[in-house]
Structure formats: structure tokens, C-alpha cells
Amino acid sequence: MNQYDVTVIGSGPGGYVAAIRCAQLGLKTAIIEKYPTLGGTCLNVGCIPSKALLDSTEHYHNAHTTFKEHGIELSDLQINMNQLIDRKNGVVKANVDGISFLMKKNKIDVLQGVGSFVDKNHIKITPTGGGEEQQIETKNVIIATGSKPTVLPFIQQDKQRIITSTEALNIREVPKHMIVIGGGVIGLEMASVYARLGAKVSVIEFMDSLIPTMDRALGKELKRILGKIGIEFFLSHKVTGATREGETVTVTATNPKGEEVKFEGDYCLVAVGRVPYTQGLNLEAAGVQMEERGRIKVDEHLQTSVPGIYAIGDVIRGAMLAHKAEEEGVYVAETIVGQKPHINYLLIPGVVYTWPEVAGVGYTEEQLKETGRAYKVGSFPFRASGRARASMDLDGFVKVLADKQTDEILGMHMIGPRIADLIAEGVTAMEFRASAEDVARMSHAHPTYAEAVKEACLAATENRAIHM
Ligand code: FAD
């Protein structure tokens, strides 16, 4: 029987990063994945394919809208959905192949099949495509089995017309009317993809705002901007059912007045969140305890109720984000070898890859109000940025929240061009506990979108933005 120092179950961004860090630290490592390709939700049916589609459709949308103003005139513009989806598949393949390469490079054994506990130190691997079961012995286990889409019990998803994000990434036609249940990150990204392709898109959201866990100013601005590409929003609507007849899908909901409203379309995407995935792990055999909402219970060191068994990523508490899972993977690997790593969960940024992009890190204004912390706000609109004017990306703003007395940055929230990359400046500043004035006094290349961060920090410092 093969023996390992560490066995990782699940090869998503949590699992594969944990495995690489374990191998770097000299631990004999195995990774178990039930699917034939590595990379988990993120690489196969999440972050990467959705961004590939967002990029393609943004080009198409611009070709229809802003190109003319740039002086580029096109005629007979066509969308080739097969090519669009094939390119996306190619991007996914290149990425998942990259992970296989990294496993080889780091001498990590990849075991294909469903991993389940026999006991705390023995894992059984059952190949999904048939074939012989095997068992391995391991000193430590890292559970990184991720999540799956939340199912609404009163909606039967046939995965053809009433679909999850996985199927929404593979539609080879432009829907006539896509009804999206859920105004969160995944719902809005996919809504953008299809609206840009020319589909009518209706987003139905239970809460009274979009992306409600982010700073409220962002959701408000995003709703206004996405409205301009034709997405219709139905906030404070409670979906009560969805049925399919032939190619028609009917969604029923209760509006804020308590009346029943009906939506008819050809696709309904259910994007109401994700739930931890632990099916098939046989956690009882190892004695691993669960907590509420199907999550695996972990302590502050990400160790489960059983010493030597850890859990990371979507399967435990916290934001369901790839980069959060990655940080936890590194954290656990270093903990296993006796190091003292650290994760600052406040500084895990949240991002939405619509256009404009949305990102936030640190405390939201609502959280500061709730805790009674004295703060000041500085913001800067992209319409005052020369760089944004050059690229015709005038929507959005950067908003900086700083402590009223000390000027320490407490939160940065932005909506605008390429701010998914820009939020890293907020993370860096906050990780080093910078004041708004610290950032305001740093040189930012001109012309860049990043100047908006400097200007917002200037505004927060003493209301002394230069270009506003
Ligand atoms: P996963 O990536 O879910 O990987 C878990 C793996 O474990 C899977 O491959 C699964 O097959 C395997 N597995 C499960 N059980 C077993 C078992 N018993 N034996 C063997 N293998 C098993 N996050 C971002 O940060 N940025 C984004 O832009 C982003 N976009 C997204 C877009 C979409 C459409 C979706 C659905 C998600 C997106 N996410 C994004 C979320 C991100 O994908 C997840 O947070 C991330 O994948 C979680 O990583 P993980 O390692 O915890 O689990």
C-alpha cells in the first residue's frame, strides 16, 4: 500500500495549491480527483470559462457599440457561438493541462477517482470510469472537495432549459430570453455574457439590491450600468417556481406588492449560491464533524475535529472564492510542517467580472456604520480620469474608507475598468496598514486607471483630489 505524508482530496484551487506547497516543503504528497481533469470548479466550470466568455462577449459588444466612435466601421458582424464555446473550451484545456504539468513537476501522485475515508489514516480511491479500487495510507489529509450549485427544492432543474452555471457556460445559441434567478456574482456575470450577445435578460433577485454583501454603493451603480446594456432587474421578488414546456420556461415570483408575476423565456439560470460538497467522502469513518449549512467544521488552524485532517476552500466557512481557497491551501501545508502562517480574511478581495468590473476589500461602509467606527470617505469618479476617457470607460468610481482619526485605510470599493486588477493596490495598502495619505503621496503612472485610487485617497485625506 502506498504511503504519503499528505493526501489532498479534490484538485480545485484549494487542493492543487495545497499539494504544490506540501511538495515544495518536502512532503510526499498525493492528490485525488474524481473528474478526469484537474483544476476543480474554478478551472473547469467556474472562474476560467466564465472569464473566457466574458472576454469574447465584451469584444462583440464593443464591436457593436463603441467601435464606431473609435473610427472602426464593421459591416455584417456575426457571432459564431460554436467558435465562442470552442475557444472557451480551449482556454479551459490549456489551464487544466497546466495543472497536470505542475503535479508532475512537483512529483505529486495524481489518483483519479472518488476519495473516501476508510479511517483517519486510510483513503479508498474508487475510479469513476470503472477499474480497480485502491487504498492508500496517509499521515495527514486535506479535504478540498469544494461546492456545488444550490438547488431550490421547488424548482426541477432539467439542466437543458432550467440550468445551473455549468450548463450556462455551454449554450451554443443566443437565448431569446434568459431569466436569471439570483443577482449575485455568478448570476450577473452570466447575465452580462448573454445580454452582450443580444439576448433579452431578466434578473430576479430576492434582496432589495444586487451583490448585497459588497458595499451598497457598488450594487446601486452596477444596476444602473448593466441596465444600459438592456438587463432588466426585478429586485425584492421572491421566486416561487419554474416550469418547462417544450422550449418555453415559465418562472413565477411574488413582487414587493405581494402579487404573483410571471416571466416567460427560453432559458432559466438558477444562480442562487453554492453549497459545500462532501458527498462520497464517508466522513463518519474518520469521525470528522460537520457544522451548519453542510460545511466541514474547522478550528482557527483549519484542522477538523480530527487531528491531522484539515479542510479548506468552499467546503468550509467563509467566502467561496478561488483565491481564498488558495491561501488556505498554503496555510495548511505550512501548518503541517510546523510553520506559523497567517491569513487575514478581512483582506480577501471580492470581485465581479462584469464590465465595468466591481471589487472591494476590507470593511464596507455599512459594516463601519454598524460598529459605530468613525470614518471618512473619499471617492473619485472614472469620468474624471484621462485614461478612462481615452478608453471610453467613464462609468464607476473608487471609494476609499479611512479611519477618521488615524487616516488608516479601512476599506476600498471600486467599480470601473480593470479594477479586478486594481483592487490588489487596496489589498497591499491595507496589508501594510497604510493611511489614505500614504497612498495619496505615492506616484501613480499617468495616465492609468490606478490614478483613480490615488485621487480617491487624496479625497479621503483632506478632500484634496486634484482632478475633481
Ligand atoms: P473546487 O474548485 O470546487 O474543487 C473541488 C474538487 O474536488 C472538484 O474538482 C471535485 O470534483 C473534487 N472532489 C469532490 N469530492 C471528491 C471526492 N470525494 N474525491 C475526489 N475528488 C472530489 N471564484 C473566484 O475567486 N473568482 C472567480 O472569478 C470565480 N468565478 C466563478 C464562476 C462560476 C461560474 C463559478 C461556479 C464559481 C466561480 N468562482 C470564482 C468560485 C470558485 O470556483 C470556487 O470558490 C473555487 O473553485 C473553490 O475551490 P475549492 O478548491 O474549494 O473547490
Side-chain angles (χ1 to χ4, degrees), residues 9-16 32-35 37-48 50-51 113-116 144-148 165-166 169 185-186 189-190 274 277-281 312-315 319-325 351 353:
I9 310 180
S11 72
Y16 85 73
I32 307 172
E33 172 54 55
K34 69 174 182 170
Y35 284 120
T37 55
L38 304 179
T41 304
C42 181
L43 274 71
N44 290 280
V45 290
C47 329
I48 299 298
S50 58
K51 264 81 263 177
V114 175
S116 59
T145 48
S147 60
K148 61 173 184 179
S165 58
T166 303
L169 294 165
V185 180
I186 295 174
E189 289 185 1
M190 296 317 298
R274 296 180 63 86
Y277 184 80
T278 53
Q279 216 173 303
L281 276 173
I312 59 173
D314 283 8
V315 82
M320 286 187 169
L321 290 168
H323 44 285
K324 177 253 191 191
V351 178
Y353 294 81

Side-chain angles (χ1 to χ4, degrees), residues 199-442:
K200 175 176 157 74
V201 178
S202 306
V203 175
I204 311 173
E205 167 59 49
F206 177 70
M207 305 287 280
D208 62 359
S209 69
L210 301 178
I211 43 169
T213 54
M214 298 183 87
D215 192 281
R216 284 289 173 121
L218 300 178
K220 225 169 125 193
E221 180 74 347
L222 185 63
K223 179 170 175 277
R224 186 186 71 77
I225 300 167
L226 292 183
K228 292 202 284 186
I229 62 165
I231 301 179
E232 283 192 79
F233 294 100
F234 299 86
L235 303 182
S236 306
H237 277 62
K238 187 176 191 288
V239 169
T240 50
T243 50
R244 172 187 176 179
E245 221 178 298
E247 293 189 352
T248 305
V249 175
T250 307
V251 176
T252 49
T254 311
N255 73 12
K257 291 184 195 149
E259 301 154 347
E260 183 175 273
V261 282
K262 269 192 184 157
F263 300 82
E264 238 175 48
D266 50 348
Y267 287 93
C268 168
L269 164 62
V270 183
V272 292
R274 296 180 63 86
V275 283
Y277 184 80
T278 53
Q279 216 173 303
L281 276 173
N282 197 22
L283 291 172
E284 312 77 50
V288 173
Q289 283 174 16
M290 307 289 289
E291 59 177 28
E292 71 274 16
R293 300 196 206 169
R295 298 170 184 146
I296 294 178
K297 187 174 165 188
V298 288
D299 64 14
E300 68 276 23
H301 299 295
L302 305 180
Q303 186 162 251
T304 67
S305 50
V306 181
I309 303 181
Y310 299 83
I312 59 173
D314 283 8
V315 82
I316 63 166
R317 82 284 186 274
M320 286 187 169
L321 290 168
H323 44 285
K324 177 253 191 191
E326 291 182 21
E327 294 307 323
E328 291 179 337
V330 171
Y331 179 97
V332 166
E334 294 180 352
T335 300
I336 288 172
V337 296
Q339 295 182 2
K340 300 271 178 285
H342 170 75
I343 299 177
N344 185 350
Y345 281 98
L346 179 66
L347 300 190
I348 304 275
V351 178
V352 192
Y353 294 81
T354 45
W355 194 266
E357 295 172 336
V358 186
V361 66
Y363 295 108
T364 63
E365 193 164 352
E366 292 71 35
Q367 285 170 330
L368 293 179
K369 276 189 187 141
E370 216 171 280
T371 54
R373 182 129 180 209
Y375 67 94
K376 46 190 182 153
V377 187
S379 23
F380 188 80
F382 278 102
R383 87 185 117 77
S385 148
R387 180 69 189 89
R389 191 162 295 281
S391 65
M392 294 176 67
D393 290 304
L394 299 178
D395 284 321
F397 54 81
V398 175
K399 167 173 158 181
V400 173
L401 304 169
D403 186 278
K404 192 152 195 174
Q405 270 82 46
T406 65
D407 196 36
E408 179 178 351
I409 299 173
L410 303 174
M412 249 196 222
H413 308 283
M414 0 179 140
I415 173 165
R418 297 276 165 245
I419 53 81
D421 294 290
L422 218 57
I423 196 68
E425 178 168 6
V427 177
T428 310
M430 290 182 69
E431 196 66 70
F432 288 95
R433 302 196 61 182
S435 66
E437 187 166 8
D438 287 334
V439 175
R441 287 193 179 277
M442 288 175 198

